[in-house]
């Protein structure tokens, strides 16, 4: 046995090992901008050095279902795609009958007919594998757990500045559009319909629903529901009712961004579409997580309630395949005439392919977050000046009075200034000043928690952590040892000013106040560092565009203070949903994809958020088409489609795409055509990069296009563009923009692709523990079936001969890390030969245990893993069969994304050492059955006959 590995569930439902952590990116740009050869590039520093968030946890995709539930997709189209209700019902009844005949226990959770044809069931992994082979089953997918949205942060920015950023204020005040007559569904934690800014009376009263603003809705889960099986309050049984009131807060905040109708001059909130009607679809309890099948059920309800737009500020990080059921259901919602908007995710610190369903849906508007222009926050006073700060979560509340002298950890930009290795000085009775940033490998002091702990252990009464790049963040200092001192975070310039004053002869003092101060956000108008990176697993360009999501002031439930602030793509998505309501009011005949094209055409591309001074554009797989510009979208008479170009992989050479320009005006229009490259992100291990820690590069693409195009009024013109990336790029996501210019009018079309051979990306990577590995469970706080869902600890199995009792979670387990999205993952079962090598399959045909399509990569760092357990069964002719005690070998195989399962170059496999199943503990496997003896006799006779023929006849 080797050292134990611990599976720790974090706030994103993470599974982490030891001190596994990953940074967002190593950032590099060539001096000349002409080549991407690492020998010719300038290193601009790591993500930490540039102020990007450090990885603290990750979401884990799963081949086995993390919820114990499965989507079962059936043959035939749903009703929105032309399917027949009777045929769908018959297909679902057929599956239930087959399941009964096959002795598969089928506990149906949800039935879907409108947006997706299938059911959601509670089932074991092996039952799901059996059902996957049923006659009318297309595929099975795990029902993923969806993390509860984050709670409001203590910043108090202006919603007004967010409206100004996107032109929503102009659309309201000058163009006269308020979303009147448009229905927007909010699938979230519910909506406080008592809130006066959302049509309520200001008094808690269930009879207020529905009201003139919140016109429809449903509670799918009940207050106590929590699908997080690692939580002490785990309660996975929904108790639906007709009251979608919000006891968590997130949904009310989202609804306020969409369409609050308060008066800002009186302290209220005015949303993007203040006259839109809102549908409230509650899919979360008061705390914890939900599941993907409940989200899909809410989509179907929103469709039937007549919603014109649906917003989902929730999703599954790393569920990056558009084939996942919530993404497919969302696409079908679009085909039914509904504009579907979804947040792209808040995993910007976890690298590439982190965008998740439903935002990765082909026809969904997947929304990135941009930081707000202004913030208002609590303030401290230093040298007579007020300085805004962000309190760190998991530390005591900052006081509102009192004064402390400042002690500095060290000079800015040094290891000492970052408290690397601890703080030697005695800081008793002072407030410690520590800079954000990474420490050398193996040296404590990189995370916010470690910096706070270093200050606390040095005796400090409080700590100020200041940024190492422009911007403010809401840090957390949660850790094993409780932080008992107040910890706050200030911006780079303020931190340097405090340092300069503190190191003067007179020193510096910090005075706590109860005041707030307003300040420009230094990262306003740039992509938020938490916003997730694409591409989608099929290399389609995601996100689609962005909107303000960093530091947004909006409504909260009355019992939660009525107003508050939050940051996330959860806040950006409803801004776009509200904008869609404005657009539909202005253009009531517009189809959903026309809305997306219009928004992408007129969006404003942004420069790189980590170093704006370079003037290089943010990667399109981070910002999409750029920042929403809704008034320009409404007024534009020209549309360009498609609104984005997904180029796929470049291994086959340059990629050609068609672009169609339609002139809806009254006069001919001539557009000059040009292009501009964005930063690219590399994950080539030979360059020192990875999906978790990509490198930033810049090098020009080659783009062939006509110089101009003239379009007559009421007509369309189609032209071709041919794009190829820098030839030196390999395993790099690259992108740029095609521009159509007519005077001051600019229409842009973002593009993105994968340079090199996508199937060359390694899938099963070893990390520090040699993954994949066979392991045994040695500790667990919650066991569901054979899966440990809370605080699991595993020992690695070395060599052959390990014995599993198959009781209390003691089952064969493969720990694996997927470093790239995979098209398929399967586990097959073989007998072991006496010498420990792999023998024959446990059955000539039926030897599979698990077979699942379309899995995202494992995020969070190379040492984060997923445990794949085997309960000692196999599928057999659509039935589940238990294998007898004996010696076995498991083979895990994965197929590259978009790869060919028949091509060995596209498949990676891992074979466990031989192990023993001994359920009765007698140490001896049962004697072979007569059938097995006969098979072995025939096998040996065949070998003997082959030797005789070879020797006598020379046919070998």
């Amino acid at each position: 046995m080797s050292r134990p590995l611990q599976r720790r569930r974090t706030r994103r439902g993470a599974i982490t090992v030891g001190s596994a952590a990953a940074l967002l990116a190593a950032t590099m740009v060539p001096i000349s901008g002409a080549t991407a050869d690492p020998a010719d590039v300038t290193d601009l520093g790591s993500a930490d050095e540039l102020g990007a968030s450090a990885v603290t946890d990750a979401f884990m995709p799963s081949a086995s279902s993390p919820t114990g539930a499965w989507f079962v997709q059936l043959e035939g189209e749903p009703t929105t795609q032309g399917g027949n209700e009777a045929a769908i019902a018959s297909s679902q009844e057929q599956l239930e009958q087959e399941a009964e005949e096959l002795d598969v226990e089928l506990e149906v959770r949800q039935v879907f007919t409108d947006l997706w044809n299938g059911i959601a069931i509670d089932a074991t992994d092996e039952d799901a594998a059996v059902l996957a082979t049923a006659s009318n089953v297309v595929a099975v997918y795990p029902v993923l757990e969806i993390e509860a949205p984050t709670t409001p942060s203590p910043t108090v920015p202006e919603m007004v500045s967010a409206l100004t950023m996107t032109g929503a204020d102009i659309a309201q005040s000058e163009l006269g559009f308020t979303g009147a007559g448009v229905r927007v569904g909010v699938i979230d934690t519910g909506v406080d319909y008592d809130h006066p800014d959302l049509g309520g009376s200001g008094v808690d009263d269930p009879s207020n629903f529905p009201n003139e603003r919140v016109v429809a809705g449903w509670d799918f889960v009940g207050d106590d529901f929590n699908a997080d099986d690692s939580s002490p309050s785990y309660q996975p049984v929904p108790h639906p009712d007709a009251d979608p009131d919000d006891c968590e807060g997130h949904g009310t905040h989202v609804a306020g961004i969409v369409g609050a109708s308060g008066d800002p001059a009186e302290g209220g909130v005015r949303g993007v579409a203040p006259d839109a009607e809102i549908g409230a679809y509650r899919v979360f309890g008061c705390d914890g997580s939900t599941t993907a099948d409940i989200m899909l059920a809410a989509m179907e309800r929103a469709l039937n309630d007549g919603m014109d737009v649906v917003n989902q500020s929730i999703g599954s990080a790393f569920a990056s395949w558009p084939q996942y059921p919530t993404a497919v259901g969302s696409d079908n919602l679009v085909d039914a005439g509904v504009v579907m908007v979804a947040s792209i995710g808040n995993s910007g610190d976890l690298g590439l392919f982190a965008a998740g369903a439903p935002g990765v849906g082909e026809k969904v508007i997947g929304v990135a977050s941009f930081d707000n222009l202004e913030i208002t926050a609590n303030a401290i006073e230093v040298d007579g000046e007020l300085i805004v700060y962000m309190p760190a979560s998991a530390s005591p509340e900052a006081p509102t009075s009192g004064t402390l002298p400042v002690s500095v950890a060290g000079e800015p930009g040094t290891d000492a200034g970052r408290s690397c290795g601890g703080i030697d000085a005695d800081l008793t009775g002072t407030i410690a000043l520590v800079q954000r940033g990474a420490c050398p490998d193996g040296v404590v002091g990189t995370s916010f928690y470690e910096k706070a702990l270093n200050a606390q252990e040095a005796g400090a009464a409080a700590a100020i952590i200041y940024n190492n790049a422009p911007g403010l963040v809401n840090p957390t200092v949660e850790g094993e040892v409780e932080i008992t001192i107040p910890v706050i975070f200030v911006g780079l310039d303020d931190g340097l000013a405090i340092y300069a004053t503190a190191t003067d002869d007179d020193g510096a003092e910090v005075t706590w106040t109860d005041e707030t101060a307003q300040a420009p956000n230094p990262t306003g108008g740039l992509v938020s560092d938490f916003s997730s990176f694409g591409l989608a697993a099929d290399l389609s360009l995601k996100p689609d565009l962005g909107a303000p999501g960093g530091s947004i002031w909006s409504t909260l439930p009355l019992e939660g203070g009525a107003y508050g602030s939050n940051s996330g793509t959860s806040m950006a998505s409803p801004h776009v949903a509200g904008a869609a309501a404005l657009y539909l009011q202005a253009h009531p005949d517009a189809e959903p994809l026309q809305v997306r094209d219009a928004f992408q055409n007129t969006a404003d591309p942004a420069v790189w958020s980590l170093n704006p001074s370079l003037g290089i554009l943010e990667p399109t797989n981070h910002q999409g088409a750029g920042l929403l510009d809704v008034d320009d979208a409404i007024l534009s008479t020209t549309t360009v489609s498609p609104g984005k170009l997904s180029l796929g992989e470049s291994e086959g050479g340059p990629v050609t795409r068609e672009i169609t320009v339609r002139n809806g005006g009254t006069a001919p229009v001539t557009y000059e055509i040009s292009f501009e490259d964005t930063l690219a992100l590399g994950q080539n291990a030979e360059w020192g990069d990875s999906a978790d820690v990509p490198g930033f590069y810049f090098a020009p693409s080659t783009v062939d296009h006509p110089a101009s195009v003239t379009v007559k009024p009421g007509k369309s013109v189609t032209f071709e563009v041919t794009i190829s990336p820098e030839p030196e790029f390999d395993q790099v996501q690259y992108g740029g923009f095609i521009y159509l210019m007519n005077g001051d009018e600019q229409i842009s079309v973002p593009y993105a692709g994968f340079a090199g051979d996508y199937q060359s990306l390694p899938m099963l990577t070893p990390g520090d523990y040699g993954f994949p590995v066979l392991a045994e469970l040695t500790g667990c706080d919650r066991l569901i079936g054979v899966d440990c869902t809370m605080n699991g600890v595993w020992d690695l199995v070395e060599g052959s001969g390990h014995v599993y009792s198959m009781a209390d979670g003691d089952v064969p387990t493969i720990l694996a890390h997927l470093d790239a999205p995979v098209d398929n993952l399967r586990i097959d079962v073989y007998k072991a030969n006496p010498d420990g090598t792999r023998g024959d399959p446990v059955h000539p045909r039926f030897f599979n245990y698990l077979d699942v399509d379309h899995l995202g990569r494992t995020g969070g760092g190379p040492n984060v893993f997923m445990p794949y357990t085997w309960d000692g069964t196999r599928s057999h002719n659509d039935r589940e069969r238990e294998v007898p005690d004996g010696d076995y070998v498991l083979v895990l195989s994965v197929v590259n994304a978009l790869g060919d399962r028949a091509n060995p170059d596209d498949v990676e496999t891992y074979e466990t050492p031989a192990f023993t199943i001994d359920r009765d503990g007698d140490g001896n496997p049962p004697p072979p059955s007569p059938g097995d003896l006969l098979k072995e006799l025939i096998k040996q006779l065949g070998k003997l006959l082959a030797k005789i023929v070879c020797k006598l006849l020379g046919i070998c």
Side-chain angles (χ1 to χ4, degrees):
M1 302 295 177
S2 70
R3 54 182 162 168
L5 305 187
Q6 183 172 9
R7 179 191 190 195
R8 174 170 51 86
R9 183 67 69 100
T10 63
R11 63 180 173 85
R12 282 199 185 95
I15 304 165
T16 57
V17 183
S19 60
L23 304 179
L24 168 64
T27 59
M28 293 182 255
V29 173
I31 297 173
S32 66
T35 176
D37 188 329
D40 298 327
V41 302
T42 299
D43 188 345
L44 298 182
S46 71
D48 265 350
E49 293 166 345
L50 292 166
S53 299
V55 170
T56 56
D57 52 29
F59 175 89
M60 295 301 305
S62 175
S64 58
S65 175
T67 60
W70 292 83
F71 285 112
V72 181
Q73 183 179 359
L74 301 178
E75 291 179 344
E77 298 291 346
T79 58
T80 55
Q81 300 296 302
N84 178 275
E85 287 189 13
I88 292 171
S90 175
S91 178
Q92 293 176 352
E93 289 174 5
Q94 177 185 338
L95 177 66
E96 293 181 17
Q97 290 172 1
E98 282 194 46
E100 186 175 350
E101 293 169 1
L102 301 171
D103 296 326
V104 172
E105 187 175 352
L106 202 65
E107 296 184 21
V108 178
R109 296 162 54 101
Q110 305 278 353
V111 176
F112 306 103
T113 60
D114 297 332
L115 300 177
W116 191 75
N117 180 15
I119 60 176
I121 62 170
D122 288 317
T124 62
D125 293 352
E126 55 274 18
D127 279 349
V130 169
L131 286 174
T133 63
S135 60
N136 64 338
V137 171
V138 175
V140 296
Y141 298 91
V143 171
L144 297 178
E145 177 188 326
I146 311 299
E147 176 198 0
T150 55
T151 54
S153 65
T155 55
V156 188
E158 298 292 336
M159 183 65 187
V160 173
S161 64
L163 298 181
T164 302
M165 289 175 66
T166 62
D169 59 332
I170 295 174
Q172 292 178 16
S173 61
E174 297 183 19
L175 304 183
F177 298 116
T178 59
V182 180
R183 286 190 161 197
V184 181
V186 175
I187 298 176
D188 213 291
T189 65
V191 175
D192 183 2
Y193 45 75
D194 296 313
H195 200 294
D197 291 1
L198 296 169
S201 64
V203 177
D204 187 11
D205 182 0
S207 67
N208 285 335
F209 175 76
N211 62 37
E212 62 179 11
R213 297 298 318 287
V214 185
V215 299
W218 187 257
D219 178 1
F220 289 83
V221 293
D223 287 358
D224 295 333
F225 179 80
N226 182 359
D228 180 1
D229 56 17
S230 69
S231 169
S233 61
Y234 174 56
Q235 197 292 99
V237 180
H239 296 286
D241 61 52
D243 183 2
D245 196 13
D246 182 10
C247 56
E248 198 275 348
H250 187 271
T252 301
H253 195 274
V254 166
I257 296 171
V258 170
S261 55
D263 182 358
E266 299 295 327
V269 165
R270 186 174 177 85
V272 177
D275 288 332
E277 296 179 343
I278 294 170
Y281 303 98
R282 184 184 178 197
V283 296
F284 288 92
C286 296
D287 186 31
S289 301
T290 190
T291 55
D293 58 329
I294 293 174
M295 289 173 57
L296 188 55
M299 288 186 232
E300 293 204 338
R301 179 98 184 197
L303 173 67
N304 294 325
D305 283 347
M307 296 296 130
D308 303 296
V309 182
V310 167
N311 180 82
Q312 291 196 79
S313 289
I314 45 182
S316 305
F318 295 102
S320 54
W321 283 96
Q323 288 86 350
Y324 190 70
T326 56
V328 173
S330 297
D331 284 345
N332 291 338
L333 197 63
V334 173
D335 287 341
V338 180
V339 178
M340 179 66 196
V341 186
S343 54
I344 207 63
N346 298 333
S347 300
D349 52 2
L350 299 181
L352 303 175
F353 298 110
V360 295
E362 178 188 357
K363 301 171 185 177
V364 177
I365 303 177
V367 184
S369 172
F370 281 65
D371 281 350
N372 205 350
L373 293 175
E374 293 183 346
I375 58 172
T376 303
N378 297 325
I380 55 174
E381 183 179 325
V382 179
D383 202 21
E385 298 290 333
L386 288 177
I387 295 175
V388 298
Y389 69 84
M390 303 294 164
S393 62
S395 74
E397 185 175 347
T400 56
S401 62
T403 299
L404 290 171
V406 176
S407 294
V408 300
E411 185 178 349
T414 66
D415 286 349
R418 292 186 287 267
S419 82
C420 298
I423 300 173
D424 294 331
D426 182 0
L427 306 187
T428 301
T430 69
I431 185 167
L433 182 67
V434 183
Q435 190 173 33
R436 181 188 189 185
C439 295
D441 290 344
V443 178
V444 174
T446 291
S447 71
F448 293 128
Y449 167 69
E450 291 170 345
K451 295 178 190 297
L453 185 61
N454 287 343
Q456 179 173 295
E457 291 181 341
I464 299 173
I465 301 174
Y466 65 101
N467 213 342
N468 54 359
L472 290 169
V473 299
N474 300 111
T476 179
V477 292
E478 183 177 5
E480 183 177 353
V481 177
E482 181 182 3
I483 298 300
T484 58
I485 61 174
V487 180
I488 64 174
F489 187 92
V490 303
L492 172 61
D493 290 343
D494 290 331
L496 294 176
I498 296 172
Y499 175 84
T501 304
T503 52
D504 282 347
D505 291 340
D506 295 334
E509 289 184 331
V510 167
T511 299
W512 302 103
T513 78
D514 59 359
E515 298 184 61
T516 60
Q518 190 174 67
N521 188 348
T523 58
L526 302 177
V527 179
S528 305
D529 61 0
F530 56 75
S531 194
S532 293
F533 285 85
L535 301 168
D538 67 345
L539 299 183
S540 56
L541 173 52
K542 289 290 176 175
D544 294 291
L545 71 154
S551 302
I552 305 298
W553 181 253
S554 185
T555 48
L556 289 177
L558 296 176
E559 55 271 26
Y563 301 99
S565 177
N566 207 347
S567 292
T569 53
S570 285
M571 284 59 257
S573 182
H575 199 116
V576 175
L582 301 181
Y583 190 91
L584 289 175
Q585 183 186 4
H587 303 280
D589 295 330
E591 296 293 330
L593 291 180
Q594 291 174 328
V595 177
R596 186 174 74 175
D597 284 350
F599 284 174
Q600 290 185 308
N601 290 170
T602 54
D604 301 318
V607 295
W608 186 29
S609 56
L610 297 185
N611 197 337
S613 63
L614 291 178
I616 302 172
L617 292 179
E618 185 80 28
T620 49
N621 69 346
H622 201 203
Q623 69 166 320
L627 180 64
L628 173 72
D629 194 338
V630 64
D631 60 316
D632 280 1
I634 289 172
L635 293 173
S636 179
T637 58
T638 299
T639 56
V640 177
S641 60
K644 62 179 180 180
L645 301 177
S646 299
L647 304 178
E649 55 189 312
S650 69
E651 186 190 27
V655 178
T656 298
R657 294 285 187 266
E658 289 186 344
I659 294 176
T660 298
V661 186
R662 186 183 185 281
N663 179 8
T666 59
V669 181
T670 297
Y671 288 100
E672 304 296 326
I673 302 173
S674 61
F675 76 97
E676 184 175 7
D677 289 290
T678 67
L679 281 170
L681 293 104
Q683 59 186 103
N684 191 324
E686 294 182 2
W687 295 6
D689 303 329
S690 69
D692 291 301
V693 190
F696 282 89
Y697 299 93
F698 180 81
S701 303
T702 299
V703 182
D704 295 327
H705 57 80
S708 64
V709 61
T710 299
V711 189
K712 295 179 180 180
K715 301 296 183 181
S716 300
V717 172
T718 298
F719 65 92
E720 290 185 344
V721 295
T722 300
I723 304 172
S724 57
E726 158 62 41
E728 294 295 328
F729 276 172
D730 185 33
Q731 297 183 357
V732 171
Q733 294 187 23
Y734 69 99
F737 288 87
I738 305 294
Y739 295 132
L740 289 81
M741 301 292 299
N742 176 32
D744 293 335
E745 180 189 12
Q746 173 180 294
I747 295 175
S748 57
V749 179
Y751 62 84
F754 185 90
D757 179 9
Y758 189 30
Q759 287 72 51
S760 69
L761 290 179
M763 295 176 286
L764 298 172
T765 54
D768 294 334
Y769 300 98
F771 301 133
V773 291
L774 184 65
E776 67 165 338
L777 183 68
T778 58
C780 180
D781 289 346
R782 176 176 287 150
L783 193 68
I784 298 179
V786 297
D787 296 312
C788 179
T789 65
M790 180 185 288
N791 299 327
V793 179
W794 285 264
D795 279 351
L796 307 186
V797 171
E798 297 178 352
S800 301
H802 187 81
V803 178
Y804 293 98
S805 68
M806 309 306 289
D808 299 323
D810 182 29
V811 298
T813 303
I814 298 174
L815 308 183
H817 174 93
L818 299 178
D819 210 47
V822 300
D823 189 74
N824 175 264
L825 180 148
R826 63 180 287 140
I827 297 176
D828 294 319
V829 185
Y830 293 82
K831 298 175 183 177
N833 292 322
D835 61 358
T837 60
R838 183 178 77 183
D840 294 332
V842 291
H843 187 277
R845 290 177 55 200
F846 305 112
F847 55 94
N848 175 252
Y849 166 66
L850 188 65
D851 190 341
V852 182
D853 293 337
H854 303 128
L855 297 177
R857 77 172 184 90
T858 305
N863 293 329
V864 181
F865 65 94
M866 182 67 203
Y868 298 103
T869 55
W870 178 47
D871 68 349
T873 65
R874 61 175 177 85
S875 60
H876 184 102
N877 197 23
D878 296 342
R879 295 176 183 270
E880 174 191 330
R881 293 284 180 86
E882 185 177 272
V883 302
D885 286 4
D887 299 331
Y888 297 94
V889 169
L890 298 179
V891 175
L892 168 71
S893 61
V894 291
V895 181
N896 284 103
L898 308 184
D900 181 358
R901 302 183 190 195
N903 182 356
D905 292 338
D906 292 347
V907 181
E908 292 182 16
T909 62
Y910 162 72
E911 183 177 305
T912 69
F915 57 85
T916 299
I917 289 179
D918 185 11
R919 295 182 181 88
D920 54 18
D922 63 2
N924 297 304
S929 66
D932 286 338
L933 289 173
L934 180 59
K935 290 176 185 177
E936 182 64 23
L937 177 60
I938 293 172
K939 179 180 177 181
Q940 296 302 324
L941 288 174
K943 290 180 178 180
L944 178 60
L945 179 61
K947 290 180 180 179
I948 293 172
V949 170
C950 178
K951 187 171 183 179
L952 297 179
L953 303 179
I955 302 175
C956 301

